[in-house]
Amino acid sequence: MIPIHLDGVSKTYGEQADARPTVTVDLTVEAGEFFTLLGPSGCGKSTLLRMIAGFVAPTDGRIRFGDVDVTRTPAHKRGIGMVFQNYALFPHLSVADNVAYGLKLRGVGKADRVTRIDRALERVGLARYGKRRIDQLSGGQQQRVALARAIVIEPEVLLLDEPLSNLDAKLREETRMQIRQVQKAAATTAIYVTHDQSEAMAMSDRIAVLADGRAHQVDTPRRIYAEPATAFVARFIGRSNVVPAVVVRAEADAAVVRIGESEVVVRRHPDVAVAPGQPVEVSLRPEALRVVGEADAALHGVVSSLEFLGSTAMLEVDVAGSVVSVSTPDIDVAAGSRVGLGVDARTGWLIPESATDGAGR
Ligand code: ADP
């Protein structure tokens, strides 16, 4: 297994001198990792994946597979397996002939081909489907054929471009775990593109969150959720309250901040220095807030709306001009009532970028 290095890789479409890069990144995908490029539509995920595949040439930077610089290597010589959103299968060929395609191109002999095709189909749960025609399969099965075709060549690098977006919700959830299992069993380094944050969180070892042409954060799903680097990440991943606050004082790995009239202790990144009086932003997840009696409350506000969700309810509460979402067991409050909110100790997070680039000011 090999790592993939993207060294200042950047793409600018268009010839104008003032054209700005669509995307610029500097990151390493570790050997054997399931790594996801996540971001809203148009952020440059596909562009980045196509540069790694060799379909689009970078304007700047270098791409290395292990020790080998592949920046100028044509796609078919990069040794990649690729899975596309629309499957890209040959509809008139059998399942086995579709999977055989890459092996034939590489001159693999018939006997060896048969063994490898059987193994690949078994890996994706389609043993005994070899003779079926593609148009006799469901969408989920077709995508598994595409996955078998990608892994049968035993690629060092497996690239997947929104492979689940044509499947319905239930099938998407089943197939995502299967893709991850197949990738781990095939022992390849995988890069996966999606705009769906729950898919990214469920499948990935690490995620790069892309927006405005850059990686806002490259991290594990847990840390991206609990310790978002920027306000964009906090809002894009799950439901979060990004609330303006003022630093009262710094503690070892925490800070006391003022939100409205109240003081709250929030965690902070140890490398991010903060000074009393500094304006910042904090991320408070809805599940870190509770409705409590006014006397015990860290924050006070007025309920602006209430949404019943079954086992829980989601309240929107106006706290000193910021509307925050609160996940609570279903309780008897009405819009317009005043409530007190408790903040679970140290669940809040001081957003690092808001303390370093003045975004909180
Ligand atoms: P994503 O996959 O995140 O939706 P893309 O990489 O497809 O984003 O596109 C990023 C931006 O680059 C978009 O604004 C898109 O219009 C632009 N773009 C993509 N491909 C081309 C191209 N071949 N020529 C010009 N602009 C392009």
Side-chain angles (χ1 to χ4, degrees):
M1 289 186 286
I2 52 164
I4 300 168
H5 306 282
L6 307 179
D7 309 329
V9 170
S10 169
K11 179 68 190 176
T12 306
Y13 290 110
E15 301 292 311
Q16 294 101 323
D18 60 349
R20 294 208 355 220
T22 288
V23 64
T24 307
V25 294
D26 220 352
L27 59 85
T28 292
V29 179
E30 302 297 343
E33 222 176 4
F34 195 104
F35 189 94
T36 296
L37 305 173
L38 171 69
S41 177
C43 72
K45 305 180 290 295
S46 302
T47 297
L48 201 50
L49 198 75
R50 286 188 200 127
M51 290 195 283
I52 299 166
F55 303 142
V56 168
T59 312
D60 263 313
R62 282 198 314 163
I63 300 172
R64 288 177 294 137
F65 289 178
D67 296 333
V68 183
D69 188 329
V70 298
T71 316
R72 311 247 165 265
T73 308
H76 67 275
K77 293 202 173 140
R78 290 191 188 191
I80 51 165
M82 183 118 189
V83 180
F84 301 90
Q85 181 174 342
N86 59 4
Y87 320 141
L89 298 168
F90 302 111
H92 55 285
L93 294 185
S94 70
V95 168
D97 285 343
N98 268 277
V99 178
Y101 181 74
L103 296 175
K104 282 187 184 157
L105 278 186
R106 286 167 176 74
V108 177
K110 178 124 197 263
D112 198 11
R113 269 202 322 260
V114 171
T115 322
R116 288 171 69 172
I117 291 166
D118 283 351
R119 195 169 57 214
L121 287 175
E122 196 174 321
R123 277 229 170 111
V124 302
L126 289 176
R128 295 196 300 280
Y129 277 74
K131 293 204 167 61
R132 296 268 190 107
R133 279 208 340 246
I134 294 301
D135 56 11
Q136 295 172 315
L137 302 181
S138 70
Q141 288 170 333
Q142 290 187 32
Q143 196 50 300
R144 285 191 273 147
V145 175
L147 183 59
R149 183 183 56 181
I151 60 163
V152 76
I153 59 165
E154 292 167 20
E156 295 270 29
V157 175
L158 178 64
L159 303 178
L160 306 107
D161 192 359
E162 307 236 10
L164 303 181
S165 38
N166 289 342
L167 306 181
D168 66 42
K170 186 162 175 290
L171 206 51
R172 261 207 307 274
E173 283 194 14
E174 285 169 20
T175 314
R176 70 192 189 192
M177 280 307 120
Q178 204 165 21
I179 290 181
R180 194 186 144 92
Q181 282 162 8
V182 169
Q183 180 263 337
K184 291 296 173 201
T188 90
T189 307
I191 304 185
Y192 187 92
V193 162
T194 183
H195 62 273
D196 180 332
Q197 50 102 6
S198 60
E199 203 170 288
M201 299 293 271
M203 298 176 78
S204 314
D205 295 313
R206 285 191 309 148
I207 299 171
V209 183
L210 303 177
D212 341 303
R214 67 179 173 117
H216 279 236
Q217 188 163 6
V218 180
D219 226 326
T220 61
R222 275 206 168 73
R223 287 174 56 128
I224 281 181
Y225 186 81
E227 303 181 354
T230 71
F232 174 83
V233 174
R235 291 195 178 101
F236 191 69
I237 306 290
R239 191 157 178 168
S240 182
N241 302 297
V242 176
V243 180
V246 176
V247 175
V248 177
R249 63 176 182 279
E251 295 183 346
D253 56 354
V256 179
V257 299
R258 193 178 318 109
I259 299 173
E261 297 301 307
S262 313
E263 289 188 2
V264 174
V265 183
V266 294
R267 292 170 303 119
R268 77 180 161 94
H269 195 289
D271 296 346
V272 173
V274 288
Q278 184 180 354
V280 291
E281 289 175 313
V282 300
S283 161
L284 298 172
R285 295 288 177 187
E287 63 273 19
L289 299 172
R290 287 162 288 123
V291 176
V292 295
E294 294 272 336
D296 302 323
L299 304 171
H300 301 269
V302 175
V303 176
S304 51
S305 71
L306 184 147
E307 196 184 1
F308 176 60
L309 300 171
S311 61
T312 60
M314 191 68 79
L315 296 182
E316 303 277 310
V317 181
D318 187 328
V319 175
S322 309
V323 174
V324 298
S325 306
V326 182
S327 171
T328 147
D330 190 28
I331 50 165
D332 191 18
V333 292
S337 17
R338 273 192 66 81
V339 289
L341 296 178
V343 181
D344 287 350
R346 291 170 173 259
T347 50
W349 170 250
L350 194 150
I351 294 173
E353 190 179 66
S354 75
T356 53
D357 78 346
R361 253 149 263 193

